[in-house]
Amino acid sequence: MHAVDVTTPGGHYPIHIAPGRLDLLAQTIPADATSIVLVTNPTIDSLMGQRVHSVLSQTGKKIIRISLPDGEAFKTIETLDLIFDAMLEAKLDRRTVMVALGGGVIGDVVGFAAATYMRGVRFVQVPTTLLAQVDSSVGGKTAVNHPRGKNMIGAFYQPVAVEIDTDVLNTLPERELSAGLAEVIKYGLIMDADFFAWCEKNVNGLRARHPELLATAIRRSCEFKAYVVSEDERETGMRAYLNLGHTFGHAIEAGLGYGEWLHGEAVGCGLLMAADLSAEVFGFARADVARVRDLVQAIGCPTVAPRLGGIEQWVSLMLGDKKSEAGEIQFILMPRLGEAVRTKADPALVAQVIARNTV
Amino acid sequence: MHAVDVTTPGGHYPIHIAPGRLDLLAQTIPADATSIVLVTNPTIDSLMGQRVHSVLSQTGKKIIRISLPDGEAFKTIETLDLIFDAMLEAKLDRRTVMVALGGGVIGDVVGFAAATYMRGVRFVQVPTTLLAQVDSSVGGKTAVNHPRGKNMIGAFYQPVAVEIDTDVLNTLPERELSAGLAEVIKYGLIMDADFFAWCEKNVNGLRARHPELLATAIRRSCEFKAYVVSEDERETGMRAYLNLGHTFGHAIEAGLGYGEWLHGEAVGCGLLMAADLSAEVFGFARADVARVRDLVQAIGCPTVAPRLGGIEQWVSLMLGDKKSEAGEIQFILMPRLGEAVRTKADPALVAQVIARNTV
């Protein structure tokens, strides 16, 4: 088993990564829990809901099951209210423990519900997509979307544990595997050129779902993320580097309507645009831009973004991202491969990069 | 000026208490704030909204004003969304600072909005009722109500400062003054019999709004509360003592529909019921029950509760309170005046107390 420890001002907790972790979930429920709320969506529920329910039943505790509508479009305050309503109807108290079984949407919504139900109850993350395993389940960011922007309402709130069963990736759709790999290669780009090279070398094995390669990629990704959030829980400094590619990516997602592209697909394309802008701003090597393009393509993500309403709409969408401050777009860019900085950028260069990478 | 320091795991901040503090509000806005969101309700807005706006304008920062519908009935997720919508429309970033100008409802809603807007922005509490000044503005509890229960959705989130201008109490309606005094005498009951005796001695002066008596009562109350929340931010132990009278009080509020009785009125009546139950369970002196009754009456709060749907409905409403755990009602009771404990209670004794104190 791989294990990673996460330490933040908001709490300390383990990430466990291994095949078969689902069968050990009962161990992660604190002994003093009064009840368990198992939250998932219909897709995951049909694949593994009953099995997880049976495992949790070993605790002897009352279990409430909630199935949320599937997809980013339902990552809303209204969906939160479905959870609150079910929990309040069942008269669950402050010592209930929530289990988020699903991808990033489930993790974010359940995490925020846990952060705010009776001002905070404990929860366990059980991410079932590669994207959630390497990114959203680690670090305590929880949120729902608002009609005016993605992840605008949320909280920093840490789980009591993250349980990653690599077996669940066997049933993951191809597109979602690719989307998850985009976040994996991002860690190489911002922190470790050697890991980026490891990804280049092993991209075919990763896409073929070689179990040990996936487990290694997940552990390394969780280590990078755990290191960053340990240093900076609330994204005042280094944590912002994790947003490499996200400013462009958010524009794609918001411009097309959430759910059209997967988040990881938009980030994958955004990584390439960030590399291109890094070349313009910092002289990031053009040969490395080509490596980024090749790897984004090799993992199966799009390498060309939609034109949307043109440059002006792109800029407006990027300004609406919550990483922007006082009307200025903040970019994460790379002076060289394996290193990130936060910076503003000349609007003319940004416009060039958008024009060059959209159709 | 009176000043009290509050230290919790979630932050450290000052409470300032003095006549004329409103005129110094610009000083409390951090220099790096990008904008200010002034949230109030129509009643307070007409009394002092323009004046506070002018004071805040001294900072030279962009100011957004939001007026929320008045009253407990609007302490909802829908009202939160009004705030989010206005802030997102104005494209306010994470360095905005919110100012909660109003009573407990404004403080709770704005605090929760601040806790969750972009996962947390800074806010200043400017409580304008006695109840908010001595209770809800201190300690970082923020929340909205849910149709199934009061304060069910919220967060522990600390303000950067609490600014109490005692002059604003001059326009406070009589009923609200009485409701605030209920929370004041509560501190004496749970922590300091001498302070309870001070309240008995000065009750007429307090009701006549003698400025120095009110300032002293507020400072002492804030000191008591700051001490308790410093020890126990998340209400796992000692902080629960602050709920003396609240289990009964919540049943009254929920049973009549929120807003029929003021929260402090329900607590005042609840203090008396808790004293009565303390006499049954712990032998709390009957003479002291009489003192509690006399003082609750002297501050102008009701001393008889509504019968509602009878004992069963009372118990059901008290079970729905979030301080109950696993189907058992937790009471705060007094072994003697000035001392509190958390305990279960024999349902037959609870039923007697409800029967005896309701019509």
Side-chain angles (χ1 to χ4, degrees), chain B residues 117-263:
Chain B
Y117 183 74
M118 294 191 177
R119 299 197 186 94
V121 297
R122 291 165 293 184
F123 82 115
V124 179
Q125 288 276 21
V126 189
T128 60
T129 65
L130 180 60
L131 184 92
Q133 290 173 347
V134 300
D135 180 28
S136 55
S137 70
V138 182
K141 278 192 180 182
T142 72
V144 294
N145 297 330
H146 186 278
R148 294 185 189 271
K150 192 170 146 75
N151 291 326
M152 286 295 163
I153 313 302
F156 289 95
Y157 195 72
Q158 306 292 341
V160 293
V162 181
E163 294 294 327
I164 298 177
D165 187 336
T166 48
D167 287 345
V168 302
L169 298 180
N170 294 331
T171 51
L172 191 69
E174 190 73 19
R175 264 183 82 184
E176 299 209 26
L177 188 77
S178 296
L181 289 172
E183 296 279 1
V184 172
I185 67 175
K186 180 193 74 180
Y187 293 108
L189 288 171
I190 61 176
M191 295 179 75
D192 187 343
D194 288 344
F195 181 63
F196 186 83
W198 181 90
C199 292
E200 289 178 312
K201 183 172 157 230
N202 292 292
V203 62
N204 293 333
L206 289 165
R207 291 196 71 185
R209 308 186 195 213
H210 186 291
E212 196 44 44
L213 287 179
L214 282 173
T216 301
I218 293 166
R219 175 180 52 79
R220 291 287 285 141
S221 297
C222 289
E223 284 170 350
F224 286 127
K225 182 140 188 192
Y227 172 73
V228 170
V229 301
S230 299
E231 296 287 307
D232 175 25
E233 187 186 27
R234 286 180 176 263
E235 196 169 273
T236 47
M238 188 180 190
R239 186 165 182 166
Y241 300 164
L242 298 174
N243 294 318
L244 182 75
H246 282 61
T247 303
F248 291 111
H250 279 159
I252 297 171
E253 287 186 273
L256 292 178
Y258 294 115
E260 189 66 30
W261 283 29
L262 297 176
H263 173 68

Side-chain angles (χ1 to χ4, degrees), chain A residues 96-169:
Chain A
T96 195
V97 173
M98 302 184 74
V99 176
L101 178 68
V105 172
I106 291 287
D108 283 6
V109 173
V110 175
F112 189 44
T116 56
Y117 183 73
M118 294 189 177
R119 299 198 188 93
V121 298
R122 291 166 293 184
F123 83 115
V124 179
Q125 288 277 23
V126 189
T128 60
T129 65
L130 180 60
L131 183 94
Q133 289 174 348
V134 299
D135 181 27
S136 56
S137 71
V138 182
K141 278 192 179 182
T142 72
V144 294
N145 298 329
H146 186 277
R148 293 185 189 271
K150 192 170 147 76
N151 291 326
M152 286 295 163
I153 313 303
F156 289 94
Y157 196 72
Q158 306 293 339
V160 294
V162 181
E163 294 293 328
I164 297 177
D165 187 336
T166 48
D167 287 344
V168 302
L169 298 180

